Amino acid sequence: MPISMPRSYKLVPRRALPAAILVVAALLTACSSGQKKPQPAELPPVAALMGTQLAWSAQMGPGNASLAPLFAAGRVFVASNAGTVAALDAATGKDVWRVGLDTPIAAGVGSDGQTAAVITRNNQLVAMTDGRELWRARLPARSFTSPLVAGQRVFVLTADRTVTAFDGKTGARLWSQNRPAEPLVLSQTGALLAVGDTLVAGLSGRLVGLNPDNGAVRWEVPVATSRGTNEVERLVDIVGPVSRIGSSVCGRAYSAAVGCVDASRGTLAWTKGAQGTTGVHGDDRLLFGSEADGRFVAWQRATGEPAWSIDRLKYRGLSAPLALGRVVAVGDSRGLVHLVSREDGSEMTRLTTDGSAIEAAPVLAGDALVVQTRNGGVFAWRPQ
């Protein structure tokens, strides 16, 4: 189906403006900017088949989908658009530390529990520890993906499809790997994670395994290949988050496919056509995600065959999901968190926040489910 862009946004070739304006991914799913947006159906009364209790809440200031909460070493790391970064105690929600960087933040937070890193809108990587700034490093382009902090290094995926490694203590650049492809890129969170001794990155429609010591490519596996008749329709970048269980890494190629890769062998397990635009999550048996219209789907992780799907959350602007135990959590554009059964998608319960959109995937922080809203509310619930 042809895609038309709203007039207020530009598609700029990566070669012409590598560090500036990029495609706004959330707006690419509309078939026509002139069509009336479908409205979600009214939700029935809450099923309340499982008990939850709000454990704590905090306020960070407005955020976006690229500022997802992160849990590490007993702390929840969060950030705001305006430049505030904080480490919250996962048990109480109280500040362990909080710092203002005096510059807007584009992506973050990444942390190993000690060093935390964010990326500013003026293309600087900033590393912190215990609420004090360690160093800053200039990046070659914008980034919408949280840095990965691991092995005393900080790894960054920029929107020009470059992966760069920095020394975690000094900020010195260690290596850089560029995999150019289509001339347009998505202003949306990508994939960057560690699997054993391999750094896995989403580059265009491929998952690529890199040697974290020097950036050498160990393997690359296509989840989707470019298709369509123009540069917009051919965008198939891997969008985050992805789901990792052992060496199995499953991800979504934007509006094209979902698929799983064996990261220990660098081989494709399966790939299936799918029209969603947000990341996926799962467990050892199932993989979960939503299509562009909000139909929520479960696939068999081993084969990619459909397990079940539900339509009652259509047109609700769903976030990427989080699988936790017997339920799957997913946020929506009205600030609701839907907990559905992993077995069949039936509603277990529904949680409310401040009424603003939940754009980033929920996270599990110890025994607490944590979400951050667009207005900056951070909410944590525990099962009763």
Side-chain angles (χ1 to χ4, degrees):
M1 180 177 295
I3 299 176
S4 64
M5 287 293 295
R7 294 180 182 176
S8 58
Y9 288 88
K10 296 180 181 179
L11 299 182
V12 178
R14 186 170 58 89
R15 61 182 178 273
L17 201 53
I21 304 172
L22 301 169
V23 178
V24 179
L27 298 178
L28 290 177
T29 56
C31 293
S32 171
S33 58
Q35 291 180 351
K36 184 177 181 181
K37 183 178 179 181
Q39 294 300 305
E42 291 295 325
L43 294 171
V46 181
L49 297 180
M50 65 176 294
T52 59
Q53 181 178 15
L54 182 65
W56 53 263
S57 63
Q59 177 57 233
M60 282 301 299
N64 61 73
S66 295
L67 301 180
L70 174 77
F71 174 68
R75 299 175 179 180
V76 177
F77 293 87
V78 286
S80 72
N81 290 335
T84 300
V85 184
L88 309 179
D89 186 293
T92 65
K94 296 186 180 301
D95 285 7
V96 177
W97 55 260
R98 181 177 294 233
V99 62
L101 298 180
D102 298 322
T103 185
I105 297 175
V109 180
S111 180
D112 59 0
Q114 297 298 319
T115 301
V118 298
I119 298 170
T120 69
R121 292 186 190 173
N122 62 358
N123 306 339
Q124 286 190 322
L125 172 65
V126 184
M128 298 153 281
T129 186
D130 295 327
R132 60 182 177 85
E133 185 175 318
L134 290 175
W135 49 263
R136 296 192 181 202
R138 173 68 61 179
L139 300 176
R142 296 176 65 186
S143 177
F144 304 95
T145 303
S146 297
L148 173 67
V149 183
Q152 298 184 341
R153 285 163 288 184
V154 181
F155 302 96
V156 172
L157 172 63
T158 45
D160 61 351
R161 301 186 180 95
T162 297
V163 180
T164 306
F166 297 86
D167 183 282
K169 293 183 178 179
T170 67
R173 195 176 83 161
L174 303 176
W175 55 259
S176 185
Q177 173 67 253
N178 178 259
R179 306 289 286 179
E182 291 75 23
L184 298 179
V185 292
L186 295 171
S187 60
Q188 186 167 332
T189 298
L192 189 64
L193 69 155
V195 182
D197 65 349
T198 297
L199 177 67
V200 178
L203 300 176
S204 191
R206 297 170 176 260
L207 285 171
V208 180
L210 304 172
N211 184 331
D213 294 329
N214 56 25
V217 176
R218 290 176 170 169
W219 52 260
E220 54 183 281
V221 179
V223 175
T225 55
S226 296
R227 79 284 183 224
T229 59
N230 58 59
E231 291 178 347
V232 178
E233 292 177 346
R234 287 194 291 269
L235 283 168
V236 290
D237 286 299
I238 302 295
V239 297
V242 297
S243 172
R244 179 206 168 187
I245 301 291
S247 62
S248 171
V249 178
C250 301
R252 182 189 295 280
Y254 179 84
S255 196
V258 294
C260 291
V261 169
D262 185 333
S264 63
R265 300 179 180 178
T267 56
L268 179 68
W270 58 265
T271 183
K272 301 285 185 180
Q275 295 300 309
T277 60
T278 55
V280 297
H281 201 253
D283 53 30
D284 59 353
R285 188 166 67 85
L286 295 173
L287 181 70
F288 308 97
S290 60
E291 296 294 83
D293 63 359
R295 183 170 65 93
F296 198 71
V297 183
W299 298 271
Q300 299 288 347
R301 191 182 192 101
T303 65
E305 293 302 312
W308 51 259
S309 66
I310 57 174
D311 290 335
R312 69 175 182 276
L313 301 180
K314 288 180 69 173
Y315 311 119
R316 299 200 70 86
L318 299 182
S319 71
L322 171 71
L324 61 166
R326 63 192 180 103
V327 300
V328 183
V330 61
D332 74 15
S333 61
R334 301 187 181 187
L336 297 176
V337 182
H338 306 269
L339 300 186
V340 304
S341 167
R342 70 182 293 279
E343 299 301 327
D344 59 11
S346 58
E347 183 179 76
M348 301 299 290
T349 194
R350 197 183 309 150
L351 310 172
T352 59
T353 60
D354 57 15
S356 64
I358 299 168
E359 297 177 321
V363 298
L364 183 63
D367 62 348
L369 169 67
V370 178
V371 301
Q372 184 172 358
T373 69
R374 182 186 293 167
N375 285 351
V378 185
F379 299 84
W381 296 269
R382 292 192 177 94
Q384 288 183 315

